[in-house]
């Protein structure tokens, strides 16, 4: 089968340091175009990676009928609108988290995908960590068998620290100013809270997603570090820093009882990077009818949770 023809929107940090190099390394993917409103930066990135086509913006790229799928990484207050336009044009879309800055915006993306008979994947890359997949497998088994009893407590947290981990992938830069987009925040949000809402959305997206980890039958463990306590044991995971390549989450399983055990199973495949595996998943399923493991429909839950959390913080009913 011919490789998936891919377009990429945005040439910032995550695009250059992570996603574009990863897409280029996937044999089933053919990166044929990029779009960047900062003209000089776009030209530099096109030259470095020898991408055949350069478009001035995502709307111009959306008209390219050769392109089947598009990946987007932009300001998170803007990328939802970019993704909606691309979905409406019939492109399969991968976008960075968060999916949207409001429930209304998130729903508009899903409506666009449905109308155009295409689909959306959101980059919850921790779902594709082999260690987290192993945790998901074991937690699901324990819940089905009941051998460790009921889940009593779930804790999820992340201390990012040096999350870049000296990643030495070259990066082009210019003095051009990145554009700011429309901020389609919730209607209930006071104007003087818009800035803090968007700032917290960036940092809280891990915690919001971690807040419904007890539904492990449908969700993979996604946080930086997770502890799931049962009545008679636990499952712990310690995730590597975000941009540390070829290192999976560490896993520990404790079984209580007369013969107490602490197991440290080794994830397989061992030397993999969650960011690379999520893009492999995206490319693999662009042409199938199967939903993505981190679909737009699934991510709507997170947008709802964040709005509920912030309303509670502001004491808005």
């Amino acid at each position: 089968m011919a490789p998936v023809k891919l377009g990429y929107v945005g040439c910032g940090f995550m695009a250059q340091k992570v996603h574009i190099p990863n897409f280029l390394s996937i044999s089933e993917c053919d990166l044929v175009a990029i779009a960047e409103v900062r003209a000089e930066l776009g030209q530099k990135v096109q030259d470095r990676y020898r991408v055949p086509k350069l478009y001035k913006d995502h709307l111009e790229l959306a008209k390219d009928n050769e392109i089947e799928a598009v990946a987007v990484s932009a300001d998170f207050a803007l990328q939802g609108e970019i993704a909606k336009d691309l979905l409406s044009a019939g492109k399969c879309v991968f976008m960075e988290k968060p999916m949207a800055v409001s429930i209304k915006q998130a729903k508009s993306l899903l409506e666009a995908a449905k109308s155009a008979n295409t689909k959306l994947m959101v980059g919850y890359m921790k779902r594709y960590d082999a260690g987290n997949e192993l945790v998901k497998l074991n937690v699901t088994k324990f819940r089905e068998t009941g051998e460790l009893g009921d889940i009593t407590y779930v804790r999820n947290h992340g201390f990012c620290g040096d999350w870049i981990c000296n990643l030495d992938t070259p990066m082009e830069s210019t003095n051009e100013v990145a554009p700011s987009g429309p901020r389609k925040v919730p209607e209930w949000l006071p104007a003087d809270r818009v800035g803090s809402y968007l700032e917290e959305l960036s940092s809280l997206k891990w915690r919001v997603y971690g807040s419904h980890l007890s539904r492990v039958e449908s969700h993979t463990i996604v946080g930086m570090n997770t502890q799931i306590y049962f009545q008679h044991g636990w499952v712990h995971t310690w995730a590597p820093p975000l941009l540390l390549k070829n290192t999976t989450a560490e896993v520990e399983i404790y079984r209580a009882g007369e013969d107490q055990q602490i197991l440290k199973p080794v994830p397989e495949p061992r030397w993999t990077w969650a960011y690379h595996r999520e893009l492999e998943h995206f490319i693999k399923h662009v042409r199938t009818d199967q939903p993505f493991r981190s679909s737009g429909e699934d991510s709507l839950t997170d947008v709802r949770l964040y709005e509920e959390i912030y309303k509670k913080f502001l004491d808005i009913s």
Side-chain angles (χ1 to χ4, degrees), residues 299-312:
S299 300
L300 176 60
T301 301
D302 306 332
V303 182
R304 291 186 187 278
L305 283 168
Y306 181 68
E307 284 205 24
E308 290 174 12
I309 289 170
Y310 212 82
K311 275 186 174 181
K312 188 173 182 179

Side-chain angles (χ1 to χ4, degrees), residues 7 17 37 65 98 105 188 201 206 208 241 253:
K17 289 284 189 179
V37 295
N65 293 327
Q105 186 186 46
W188 51 261
L201 178 61
W206 293 101
V208 168
I253 299 172

Side-chain angles (χ1 to χ4, degrees), residues 193-211:
R193 288 288 186 174
V194 171
S196 62
Y197 176 88
L198 294 174
E199 181 179 353
E200 286 299 306
L201 178 61
S202 177
S203 61
L204 278 175
K205 58 199 174 199
W206 293 101
R207 283 173 279 169
V208 168
Y209 202 70
S211 66

Side-chain angles (χ1 to χ4, degrees), residues 123-239:
Y124 288 114
M125 60 87 176
K126 286 295 178 183
R127 288 192 178 193
Y128 303 90
D129 184 301
N132 287 339
E133 291 177 343
L134 182 59
V135 170
K136 168 68 165 61
L137 182 68
N138 278 278
V139 170
T140 299
K141 181 187 72 172
F142 294 147
R143 295 193 72 188
E144 290 174 349
T145 63
E147 58 192 285
L148 296 186
D150 294 332
I151 289 179
T152 59
Y153 180 69
V154 178
R155 183 170 186 262
N156 178 266
H157 65 280
F159 302 120
C160 284
D162 181 16
W163 66 279
I164 297 175
C165 296
N166 298 318
L167 185 68
D168 58 358
T169 304
M171 179 173 174
E172 301 290 350
S173 62
T174 68
N175 292 324
E176 296 164 293
V177 178
S180 59
R183 296 183 165 189
K184 298 195 174 182
V185 295
E187 293 157 355
W188 51 261
L189 185 67
D192 63 344
R193 288 288 186 174
V194 171
S196 62
Y197 176 88
L198 294 174
E199 181 179 353
E200 286 299 306
L201 178 61
S202 177
S203 61
L204 278 175
K205 58 199 174 199
W206 293 101
R207 283 173 279 169
V208 168
Y209 202 70
S211 66
H212 54 99
L213 281 173
S214 60
R215 301 191 324 167
V216 291
E217 68 274 14
S218 60
H219 290 80
T220 304
I221 310 309
V222 298
M224 294 297 291
N225 298 285
T226 303
Q227 298 92 42
I228 301 176
Y229 293 91
F230 293 80
Q231 290 172 301
H232 310 298
W234 69 57
V235 179
H236 288 187
T237 178
W238 293 267

